[in-house]
Amino acid sequence: MNKIRVTIIAPYEGLLEIIKRISPQFHGLDVDVHVADLQESVPLLTSGIETYTDLYISRGGTANVVRNYTNKPVIEIPISGYDILRMILLFQAESDHTEIIAFENISHNFNKISELIETDLPITAVTSVEQVEPAILHAKSIGRRIIVGDVITVNLAKKHGLDGILITSGEESVHTALEQAELLGSSIAQNKRHNSLLQLAFEQSSDTFFIMNRKGRVLTKSYTFLHSYDQIALELFVEKVNTALKQKETSTVIADLNEPLQLTIKEIDLANEKVFYVSLQNIEHTSLLKINRIQTKHLTCSLVLGSNDQLIESFNEASNKKATMIISPAGSGEEVLAKALLPKHAFVVDASSLLVATDIDYKSLPLYVKNWNVLPETEQLNLIRFIQSSSEKIVVHSDHPLSITDDLYTIQLPSLLDRKQEWNQFVRRLIGEANQLYGKQVIGYRGELPTIALQRFDWLIEYVFFQVKTSMQPYIYLSETKSNPISLNKSLEEIEKEIIKHVLTEEDFNQSKAAERLQINRTTLWRKLK
C-alpha cells in the first residue's frame, strides 16, 4: 500500500524534535519535516514540494500561511489543555511580570484552567491580529517583561524589547494531528500538478538571483529573490551592478542592508543580446570587509537588563547618544546591549583592525568595537578621533574603565556573578526558550547553579539548555560542583570546548595559567570558546 505523503512545516525547532519521536508510530505516513515560521514558509511552499505532498500539517499562523499557497488539505496541530497548563505552571511564579496575550479561543482555555488551579496569571484576549500590538504596548506600560502567546505575539513582543515566549505543543497534540492525517489520507485523491520543465526548475532553484540587460532593465527574478527583497533593494542592486560593470569588475559588495551581500555578475549571450546573471550570497565574514555580525543567540536585551533599574536607566539614556562605552567583564551581555543600541545593519569589529583597515570606509558604518582596552594609549587616542569623525552610531567595549574615554557616555554593566537576586528570573526565562527549542515541557528547577555557569551569559545559556534538553522530568536539577565529567559522545570541537572550560575552572578562571596548561595562547583559548 502506498503511504500518505505528509509535509509537516514546524514553526519552531522543538516541534521538529517531538515529530521525530512520534512519527515512526504511524506506519501509513511518509513524513517530511521542515522548520519554517510564518512567511519563512513561503519559499519552501514555492520550491516544488507541492508535487510530492498529499497533505500538510502545521500550527497556528504558519498553518494559515500554508493554506494561502496550496489547495491540498492542511491539518492544524492544536494547542491542548496540557500545553496551556504547562505554560501556566512555568510562569505563575512571575505573574507580576508576565502576561498571556492570545486569541479568544486560546485565552478562554487559559482562563478556565487558571480558575481550576487558582492562579492569577494575567490573560488578555484579542479578536484580530491588529489588536495584538496595542495589547503588548499596554502590557509593557504596566511593567510586564514577559509575553506568552503565538508566533505573531512573540515576534511583536521582541520587537518592543520584551521577552516573547511561544505557547508550545506537547506530544499529545502532535499525536492528534498525525492521527487525523492518517484518517484523512486514505480518502485523498492522488492528483498531481504538472509544470513545464522550465517552470519546475525555476521554482525548485534555491539560488537568489536576477537577470538584467545592458540598459539596467530587470528581465526576471528568482522566487527566493521575490520573497526576500523589494523594489527599493532591487534598484540599489542594479545601481551597484552598473557601477561594477563600468569598472570592469565581476563582483561587488553591499554592506548597508540588513545583511552584507556579495553580488556576483556573469555575462550571458541570449538571442544575440548580452544579459547579466546577478547572484546574491549572504556573507557573515569576508576577507574584503573584515567584519562580522553581532551574534546574540538566545540572549535578549530585556533579559540582560533584567530588573536592574540603574542599568535600565543608563541603557535608555545611551539610546540617545551617538557614541557609548560599555564597561563590563566579557560575557556579561555587552554584545546584546550593543546590538540593541545600534541599527540593524551594524557590524562588530576589533578595535585594532579599525586603525589599519584600508579596504572599506568604516566611518560610514554603525559599529560595535571590541577589545578597546588592549590597545596602547596612543592608539586609543586615534580611536577617539575616529569615533568623533564617524557619521554613524558607535558602541565600544572595555573590560575596565579608561580615563581616556571620559567624554564618552558610559554604561557600567555588572557581571553575571554580581546579579544574584536576578538569577532565578534568568533561569526561568531560559527554560521557557529551551522548551520551545527542544520540545520539552520543563516547569522549573531545583538546586543551586554551579559557579562555572555564572561566569558568562553564554555559559549559563549552554548549561540551562543542556539540562532542559536532557531532562525527562518536569523540573531540572542543578548542582554546585567544582567540575563535571567530560562526555566523549560529542564532536571533537565540543569536547575541546569542555576541556578548556574544565581547565579554566580548576585554575579559578586565570586565563594565563589555563592557556599555559593547554599549551595554547590566550587568544586561541577564547577563540575556541566562542
Side-chain angles (χ1 to χ4, degrees), residues 77-88:
I77 298 172
I79 295 176
S80 71
Y82 294 107
D83 302 330
I84 292 171
L85 178 60
R86 282 188 286 263
M87 297 306 294
I88 292 174

Side-chain angles (χ1 to χ4, degrees), residues 222-253:
S222 69
Y223 276 78
T224 53
F225 187 99
L226 283 170
H227 295 297
S228 301
Y229 303 104
D230 57 18
Q231 183 63 29
I232 295 175
L234 178 59
E235 291 172 2
L236 174 62
F237 298 152
V238 170
E239 180 183 346
K240 285 281 188 179
V241 171
N242 283 331
T243 301
L245 290 173
K246 288 176 183 177
Q247 298 172 354
K248 297 183 178 180
E249 296 175 347
T250 58
S251 68
T252 185
V253 171

